[in-house]
Amino acid sequence: MSSPKAVPAADSLPREKVEQFDRELAAITRRYPEDRRASALIPALRLGQELFGHLSPEVQRLAATRLGVTPGRADEVATFYVMFHTRPQGRHVVEMCTNVSCCLTGAERIWAHLQRKLGVKPGETTPDGRITLREVECLGSCGTAPAMLVDEEMHERLTVEKVDEILGRLE
Amino acid sequence: MSETRILTARWGKPGSATLASYRADGGYRALDKALSQEPAALVEEVKRSNLRGRGGAGFATGLKWSFLPKDVRPRYLTVNADESEPGTFKDRYIIEHDPHQLIEGIAICCFANDIHLAYVYIRGEFARQARILEAALEEARQAGIIGPRLLGKKDFEVDIQVHRGAGAYICGEESALLESLEGKKGYPRLKPPFPAVVGLWGKPTIINNVETLANLPWIVEHGGQAFAALGTGKSGGTRLFCVSGHVNRPGVYEKPVHQNLRQLIFEDCGGIVGGRKVKAVIPGGSSAPVLAASEIDVSLEFDALKAAGTMAGSGGVIVFDESTCMVRALHRIARFYAEESCGQCTPCREGTPWMEGVLEKLEAGHGQAADVARLEQMANSIMGMTICALGDAAAMPVQSFVKKFKDEFLQHATEHRCPFGETAWGLDQSSRPARVGELSY
Ligand SMILES: Cc1cc2nc3c(=O)[nH]c(=O)nc-3n(C[C@H](O)[C@H](O)[C@H](O)COP(=O)(O)O)c2cc1C
Ligand code: SF4
Ligand code: FES
């Protein structure tokens, strides 16, 4: 495995985190043939988002240079996929499905409750920075609908009470 | 009659996802048997089994494999675990409850087709399932089942890697999946060439759904003929039907591929909530044309549903009771496709949001009768005019809902309101316990 190209990271990113990024990226790129490092772009952006909070231009550039792709391509990918965020997010992310099977089992009521309770519209973050709320498409939990993801953890068979309890646990 | 269960047999056993448990139940014996056979014979066995793709198109698996050019190497396998078609929720449970069955299937496919590197493309939202699969793969590597030598004895390298997506329905479409796996946005490719000829990194590539591959160990162990005998006509085996919506017992049911739809709803799923009547059923994921209540006495087999004007698709059966508003339901479906269109082709990029807008207007009571006709025209003009099948997937629900429930659409226009009002999603919208194989959720 060749070592990542020694390109200096964008100055504004904390050094220790960039080092951690490089260490973890090395493990990721091993999953692809050596001449296909660009395939690691999605996992690299995910890693960047996990470590730095969101995909700022600096983080995108970091991922791009390490994999030998253009920053333009990193930007294209970062804006194409709904799980990538180019702006800061709340400490927690709540993503509720409102697709058909979920609506047939009461998602509309719960979705309205979520917006009311958090006082935000879809895509917004509570003023205290605690929770970002998003409406998402089918999560593959239609049999145990309604469903939502909280920080990538699936919660199913939601009721208003259950949602309140879940939100209550988020710091 | 006791029913053969291939995919769900081990779900719910303690530790079913572990290698020890899989081995205790005879796991990886099929791979061992496969290794003693000629690869070409395995492909023939799969052809004999009448296994057809469970991802959406129902293409014959053995036939697809035989499209690989004879002399081009390397070849790759990509496993489609994107599972994003609304109403579909089965591959996740295969991965959660029996990941080694999938891994064994992948290994068999690789050996049969002279493939040494496979990627499981799993939707980004399935973080837990990705972890479970990674753990199972690590166990299999440690045990020497996969890696440089299959089962530690056959000099045949198989490397299996997990590649997580990042949220895009279109990446379930096979060529978009390949683009995404190459580290790009998920823009479907023009076909031909098909992935079997020009696929991942320009090389011949097989793309199969998780459930499709998970059937392979059983086929190798019991023979293609036995698998074919479980089904009917050109479709063999059992299938995981995902039932959601207004039924008493939603869930994942493993049934023969030709299970009767009415039986599935009324016997397996305990009928409709509150004893109400069925109004409509989408039989194969939200892209499949809807069936009216009078049409549900039908076999769910691929060709039978095609003859009925719809498709078996992904096995996602969505049930609407008589108290549901079809305009509201279609509006939500249309919004999904508008949201997920990648924007490459004009009819899909422009047509999907247009249809969504008209449906929103109708549902809000601001539509005209002429809008209903224009909806149909727009759907017809998208159909068959796009690079990938998402265009058709967006058009077919509109065509079928409007055709079969036209009065209801017109009623919205003439009364300038939704006749169902606050309860457009049904009188009983409660969540009911699901059956997943033998498990309760
Ligand atoms: C818009 C679109 C989305 C799709 N999504 C999926 C999916 O999530 N999972 C899947 O297995 N197949 C999906 N497919 C079908 C794949 O393109 C492909 O036919 C399938 O993975 C082939 O595997 P199979 O032959 O084993 O079914 C989708 C197709 C289209 C057009
Ligand atoms: S049909 Fe739609 S999703 Fe498919 S390539 Fe064209 S614009 Fe993209
Ligand atoms: S429709 Fe909500 S999880 Fe599938």
Side-chain angles (χ1 to χ4, degrees):
Chain A
M1 199 72 246
S2 62
S3 63
K5 281 196 206 126
V7 178
D11 307 331
S12 53
L13 297 174
R15 204 190 146 82
E16 333 73 76
K17 281 204 178 167
V18 171
E19 282 168 2
Q20 188 182 350
F21 178 89
D22 285 337
R23 269 196 313 277
E24 295 190 23
L25 185 63
I28 290 172
T29 50
R30 246 174 264 135
R31 302 183 207 147
Y32 307 90
E34 240 173 281
D35 54 341
R36 306 293 182 189
R37 295 171 61 83
S39 274
L41 185 55
I42 288 176
L45 288 173
R46 174 179 295 106
L47 176 62
Q49 183 164 291
E50 275 165 19
L51 289 175
F52 301 99
H54 69 283
L55 294 175
S56 64
E58 291 78 18
V59 177
Q60 290 181 30
R61 206 152 44 232
L62 174 67
T65 45
R66 293 302 193 259
L67 296 174
V69 304
T70 63
R73 169 134 161 221
D75 177 61
E76 237 176 55
V77 170
T79 49
F80 184 83
Y81 296 93
V82 300
M83 292 176 77
F84 288 148
H85 308 297
T86 53
R87 288 186 322 183
Q89 303 292 298
R91 290 194 295 285
H92 303 283
V93 179
V94 172
E95 298 173 301
M96 176 154 181
C97 169
T98 59
N99 210 307
V100 173
S101 304
C102 283
C103 279
L104 292 172
T105 48
E108 262 189 3
R109 199 175 54 244
I110 297 167
W111 175 236
H113 174 77
L114 263 172
Q115 294 176 75
R116 213 177 316 116
K117 173 139 184 161
L118 296 174
V120 294
K121 291 207 218 28
E124 291 179 352
T125 302
T126 53
D128 59 1
R130 188 167 75 107
I131 294 174
T132 300
L133 180 67
R134 267 196 295 273
E135 184 178 15
V136 294
E137 297 296 354
C138 178
L139 290 170
S141 297
C142 331
T144 45
M148 71 178 185
L149 283 174
V150 178
D151 301 333
E152 297 211 343
E153 193 191 330
M154 195 83 76
H155 298 270
E156 297 163 79
R157 297 204 55 210
L158 296 175
T159 56
V160 165
E161 298 72 44
K162 204 161 161 183
V163 163
D164 284 345
E165 191 194 305
I166 295 164
L167 292 184
R169 286 202 300 265
L170 302 177
E171 304 268 295
Chain B
M1 197 186 87
S2 89
E3 284 178 340
T4 306
R5 292 192 299 132
I6 297 173
L7 300 154
T8 57
R10 303 185 61 260
W11 296 9
K13 286 193 174 188
S16 67
T18 62
L19 177 58
S21 148
Y22 189 61
R23 279 225 141 126
D25 287 334
Y28 291 108
R29 251 191 351 224
L31 177 59
D32 196 27
K33 183 175 172 191
L35 296 181
S36 67
Q37 297 179 30
E38 281 303 314
L42 288 167
V43 177
E44 284 312 307
E45 201 64 49
V46 172
K47 281 188 184 162
R48 238 188 322 275
S49 75
N50 287 343
L51 173 63
R52 291 172 70 169
R54 307 300 197 230
F59 199 84
T61 305
L63 184 62
K64 186 190 267 189
W65 294 0
S66 63
F67 292 155
L68 291 168
K70 296 286 160 278
D71 43 8
V72 186
R73 299 290 188 282
R75 299 163 160 182
Y76 301 108
L77 169 64
T78 56
V79 182
N80 197 337
D82 198 53
E83 188 143 271
S84 305
E85 172 79 13
T88 315
F89 49 99
K90 60 191 179 66
D91 298 337
R92 59 171 289 188
Y93 292 116
I94 294 179
I95 293 169
E96 286 171 34
H97 296 299
D98 211 351
H100 284 285
Q101 186 182 42
L102 172 63
I103 296 170
E104 186 172 16
I106 294 172
I108 291 169
C109 176
C110 286
F111 180 67
N113 293 290
D114 196 20
I115 290 171
H116 299 281
L117 179 54
Y119 289 96
V120 181
Y121 186 100
I122 186 165
R123 66 178 295 184
E125 292 86 348
F126 284 174
R128 191 165 76 88
Q129 289 78 4
R131 279 197 300 274
I132 293 170
L133 186 57
E134 295 266 18
L137 283 167
E138 192 49 34
E139 270 189 310
R141 278 183 210 117
Q142 294 295 332
I145 293 168
I146 55 170
R149 294 160 65 79
L150 278 179
L151 285 177
K153 57 183 183 191
K154 188 84 173 181
D155 261 323
F156 188 98
E157 181 177 358
V158 171
D159 182 13
I160 305 172
Q161 297 291 345
V162 177
H163 181 98
R164 284 180 65 196
Y169 166 65
I170 193 58
C171 290
E173 193 279 335
E174 53 187 20
S175 63
L177 183 153
L178 296 175
E179 288 287 301
S180 182
L181 186 47
E182 291 180 3
K184 301 178 218 158
K185 57 188 175 185
Y187 269 14
R189 299 174 180 171
L190 261 176
K191 290 177 262 187
F194 289 95
V197 180
V198 180
L200 181 62
W201 303 315
K203 298 295 179 191
T205 302
I206 292 176
I207 299 168
N208 274 134
N209 171 260
V210 166
E211 183 187 345
T212 309
L213 292 167
N215 278 301
L216 295 177
W218 197 95
I219 292 172
V220 169
E221 196 170 344
H222 300 266
Q225 212 129 46
F227 191 84
L230 295 172
T232 182
K234 292 200 197 88
S235 306
T238 60
R239 183 160 199 198
L240 299 181
F241 293 104
C242 318
V243 190
S244 64
H246 293 144
V247 288
N248 281 318
R249 269 195 311 277
V252 179
Y253 294 85
E254 178 170 9
K255 295 283 158 186
V257 273
H258 56 294
Q259 175 73 357
N260 177 279
L261 175 56
R262 162 172 284 282
Q263 234 171 13
L264 180 68
I265 294 171
F266 284 93
E267 291 170 26
D268 302 314
C269 300
I272 306 298
V273 283
R276 266 180 290 277
K277 295 198 178 94
V278 184
K279 181 173 197 174
V281 181
I282 297 178
S286 74
S287 309
V290 70
L291 293 170
S294 59
E295 300 174 299
I296 65 167
D297 201 357
V298 65
S299 154
L300 285 159
E301 190 270 331
F302 297 97
D303 299 326
L305 280 182
K306 194 169 171 208
T310 179
M311 56 191 218
S314 61
V317 176
I318 309 173
V319 181
F320 304 87
D321 80 22
E322 57 187 341
S323 64
T324 324
C325 171
M326 291 291 103
V327 179
R328 176 71 136 257
L330 181 61
H331 170 240
R332 185 61 187 88
I333 292 172
R335 199 174 121 203
F336 170 71
Y337 292 102
E339 189 66 38
E340 300 296 333
S341 166
C342 83
Q344 262 194 113
C345 1
T346 314
C348 175
R349 183 186 60 239
E350 306 290 331
T352 51
W354 186 90
M355 294 193 297
E356 184 207 335
V358 170
L359 285 160
E360 185 173 15
K361 214 169 71 172
L362 271 171
E363 174 63 1
H366 307 311
Q368 312 289 332
D371 288 328
V372 181
R374 283 159 66 210
L375 260 180
E376 283 185 295
Q377 285 159 13
M378 178 57 87
N380 294 343
S381 73
I382 297 173
M383 201 65 200
M385 299 304 288
T386 56
I387 293 178
C388 89
L390 187 140
D392 294 358
M396 290 184 294
V398 174
Q399 291 174 323
S400 58
F401 271 73
V402 173
K403 181 172 159 218
K404 294 177 187 180
F405 300 96
K406 188 163 267 167
D407 289 349
E408 204 172 307
F409 283 79
L410 290 173
Q411 193 186 356
H412 279 71
T414 49
E415 291 182 15
H416 290 294
R417 65 177 186 109
C418 171
F420 297 86
E422 293 289 291
T423 57
W425 286 107
L427 286 174
D428 182 347
Q429 299 174 25
S430 55
S431 173
R432 289 161 294 279
R435 279 280 292 280
V436 171
E438 295 296 291
L439 292 155
S440 251
Y441 273 82

